[in-house]
Amino acid sequence: MVNGAQIRMARAALNLKVRELAELAQVSPNTVTRVEADMQANATTLGALQRVLEAAGAEFIDAGMPSQDGGPGVRLRKAE
């Protein structure tokens, strides 16, 4: 499951504003802000945010997936 820091990083990398992400994910801007602050959020909300960001080109890296330090993160998908 993604965390607030990953959502925040993906949104920034994609140059999306909080309100834009909220509209695309059909949640309130306050919900996006709470999620990014690692406050409590339900799995449905996290899933909606993740799907929108992935559709826009973000790729979430879980701990244990190949990356330089092995920690969770975000990267932009390579252009095809």
Side-chain angles (χ1 to χ4, degrees):
M1 185 66 55
V2 298
N3 62 42
Q6 288 175 293
I7 297 290
R8 190 171 55 253
M9 288 187 289
R11 182 177 62 77
L14 294 165
N15 200 28
L16 289 171
K17 293 179 175 27
V18 169
R19 289 184 183 277
E20 292 171 323
L21 176 56
E23 185 176 325
L24 291 169
Q26 298 181 342
V27 299
S28 75
N30 287 339
T31 297
V32 174
T33 301
R34 283 194 310 272
V35 167
E36 289 184 353
D38 280 325
M39 298 175 81
Q40 188 174 4
N42 64 46
T44 303
T45 299
L46 287 173
L49 293 169
Q50 182 175 354
R51 281 189 299 278
V52 165
L53 292 165
E54 287 175 336
E59 186 175 290
F60 292 93
I61 304 166
D62 295 325
M65 285 182 66
S67 69
Q68 281 192 318
D69 66 359
V74 176
R75 62 180 166 219
L76 296 179
R77 208 172 28 248
K78 289 183 181 180
E80 294 179 15

